[in-house]
Amino acid sequence: MSNLPPDPDAPFLRACRGEATPWTPVWIMRQAGRTMNEYLELRARLSFLELCERPDLCAEMAVLACERLEADAAILFSDILLVLQPFGFTLQYVEGQGPILDPPLRAAGQVDALPEVDGGTALPHVLEAVRQTRAALRPETPLIGFSGAPFTLASYLIEGGPSRAFALTKRFMYQDPGAWHALMEKLVRTCAGYLQAQVTAGAQALQVFDSWVGCLAPPDYRELVRPHMEALFAALPAEVPHIHFATGAATLADDMLVPGVDVLGLDHRTPLAATWERTGARGVQGNLDPCALLAPPDRLAGLVDRVLADAGGRPGHIFNLGSGLLPETDFEQAIRMVAHVHERTT
Ligand code: 1CP
């Protein structure tokens, strides 16, 4: 606990602005959940959703993970799909299956029937988790707030759960572009309010996860998604940096750099240096294959070095995995990865 305000010049925040840093800042998507012992112990008593509804425990997990890893930023403990609950969908996380949303959104008429959800007030427990996490973090550790992006959220709504081909989502987009745009606009309004409220509650940076948008052809992205990302990023508070993340999206990177995006989050299939150079992004985040953490420690060190070499020490690199930490990961390996990034770049 500290009464000091959060440090605006923490290395992670400097890197988001493209400024030089004393070392390459590093954090890990999904660093709190999944593999830390204390998290697994809590999960033996509470479901993931019960945990998400306890701001005190969310704060405890987010802070503990960050401190144990010695990461340069903490991320709010929550999930991208919680924002869909106030629209009236039942969300469940089913062992071995993943997130399930019920009823699935399949007919254009269902979009009109969706309520207008005020993202600034609909999830008070999440905002309380932001406040408690901020209060418990050291001033030098920035807190990242986040939301799912409208495409990825819509894909879960329409598929009703995880998907490989996103066939139902694409059928919806192609069959009824009017209803698709209306759905995206609704989600943009809610997510913008939700992200703004997280900043008011204490977040120093925002990440928008468009995890599955890499399934789209670039012209479809430009027609059916990009205008909504422009609206979303234009609505976010300018006083904090904005990270736009997707996986498998090497061919979309130029279009993802809409005005208001400070940092592009790249996965391991996307060439980091080439994409950085081509897009002219202020910063890039990534992009170690999460499976590298399953390699023996010396091999892991080599794989980390390869990413660092690709980034070439240029100001604006934030080290991260290409997607979230895998459940198969040994947390000690994640600790080693962070330490190695710091050692090599200090
Ligand atoms: O440290 C943290 O864990 C931070 C909080 C966090 C974040 C940022 C969680 C907790 N999830 C996310 C983002 C998230 N959720 C993404 C984008 C990141 C990525 O690409 O990896 C996605 C696609 C989801 C959707 C989701 N949530 C799934 C399906 C995809 C998958 O990875 O299998 C699942 C299984 C979840 C549940 C979930 N969310 C978070 C945790 C710790 C868990 C596991 C819950 C458990 O079983 O204990």
Side-chain angles (χ1 to χ4, degrees):
M1 282 274 192
S2 165
N3 292 324
L4 290 171
D7 178 5
D9 283 318
F12 166 79
L13 295 174
R14 291 183 60 89
C16 287
R17 301 194 294 260
E19 297 168 6
T21 51
W23 58 81
T24 299
V26 46
W27 67 282
I28 305 178
M29 287 182 278
R30 310 239 200 163
Q31 61 195 19
R34 297 237 157 131
T35 65
M36 190 170 63
N37 271 338
E38 293 83 346
Y39 172 76
L40 298 175
E41 280 161 23
L42 266 183
R43 281 283 285 111
R45 293 194 282 117
L46 296 172
S47 73
F48 174 60
L49 275 177
E50 284 168 334
L51 225 171
C52 289
E53 282 159 15
R54 287 276 307 269
D56 56 329
L57 297 177
C58 291
E60 193 183 321
M61 286 303 108
V63 174
L64 189 64
C66 185
E67 288 180 352
R68 299 246 340 257
L69 288 166
E70 298 196 36
D72 291 284
I75 181 157
L76 164 69
F77 188 89
S78 184
D79 192 62
I80 61 168
L81 300 174
L82 297 193
V83 72
L84 298 175
Q85 290 177 309
F87 284 97
F89 296 92
T90 304
L91 171 63
Q92 278 179 288
Y93 294 89
V94 181
E95 202 64 47
Q97 227 181 314
I100 303 297
L101 281 141
D102 188 59
L105 192 155
R106 298 276 160 80
Q110 283 172 276
V111 176
D112 294 331
L114 287 179
E116 185 72 30
V117 172
D118 176 359
T121 55
L123 297 131
H125 50 292
V126 176
L127 300 179
E128 182 55 24
V130 174
R131 277 188 285 273
Q132 292 193 21
T133 309
R134 183 59 267 168
L137 283 170
R138 292 190 293 241
E140 58 269 33
T141 309
L143 174 61
I144 304 167
F146 70 90
S147 167
F151 174 86
T152 291
L153 293 175
S155 82
Y156 276 107
L157 282 182
I158 295 167
E159 305 288 336
S163 172
R164 263 175 188 281
F166 298 95
L168 300 175
T169 307
K170 292 180 184 182
R171 182 179 68 183
F172 193 107
M173 278 175 12
Y174 294 140
Q175 276 188 347
D176 200 333
W180 170 260
H181 285 299
L183 173 61
M184 295 292 276
E185 282 165 15
K186 256 190 184 151
L187 290 170
V188 164
R189 286 195 293 274
T190 300
C191 291
Y194 185 43
L195 289 164
Q196 281 162 359
Q198 291 181 40
V199 172
T200 307
Q204 278 72 57
L206 294 171
Q207 176 155 326
V208 178
F209 287 88
D210 214 350
S211 300
W212 310 134
V213 79
C215 72
L216 292 182
D220 285 335
Y221 184 83
R222 284 194 277 275
E223 178 190 339
L224 297 154
V225 177
R226 191 186 143 111
H228 305 291
M229 299 314 289
E230 285 171 354
L232 178 60
F233 280 100
L236 298 185
E239 69 268 24
V240 300
H242 311 145
I243 306 170
H244 191 182
F245 167 78
T247 67
T251 57
L252 304 181
D254 299 82
D255 287 306
M256 283 173 58
L257 193 68
V258 295
V261 172
D262 299 287
V263 177
L264 281 179
L266 309 177
D267 83 344
H268 46 285
R269 291 166 290 187
T270 306
L272 186 138
T275 307
W276 196 355
E277 207 154 295
R278 196 185 70 232
T279 58
R282 185 167 298 143
V284 294
Q285 178 174 278
N287 70 343
L288 183 70
D289 188 335
C291 292
L293 295 175
L294 310 179
D298 53 340
R299 177 86 175 178
L300 168 62
L303 295 168
V304 169
D305 288 343
R306 200 166 71 186
V307 173
L308 291 173
D310 200 12
R314 268 165 296 184
H317 180 219
I318 298 156
F319 195 99
N320 206 317
L321 300 178
S323 66
L325 198 67
L326 296 171
E328 294 83 359
T329 313
D330 174 357
F331 197 69
E332 295 303 314
Q333 284 280 86
I335 294 174
R336 271 185 208 116
M337 182 198 91
V338 172
H340 188 75
V341 171
H342 286 155
E343 233 171 74
R344 274 284 195 273
T345 60
T346 299

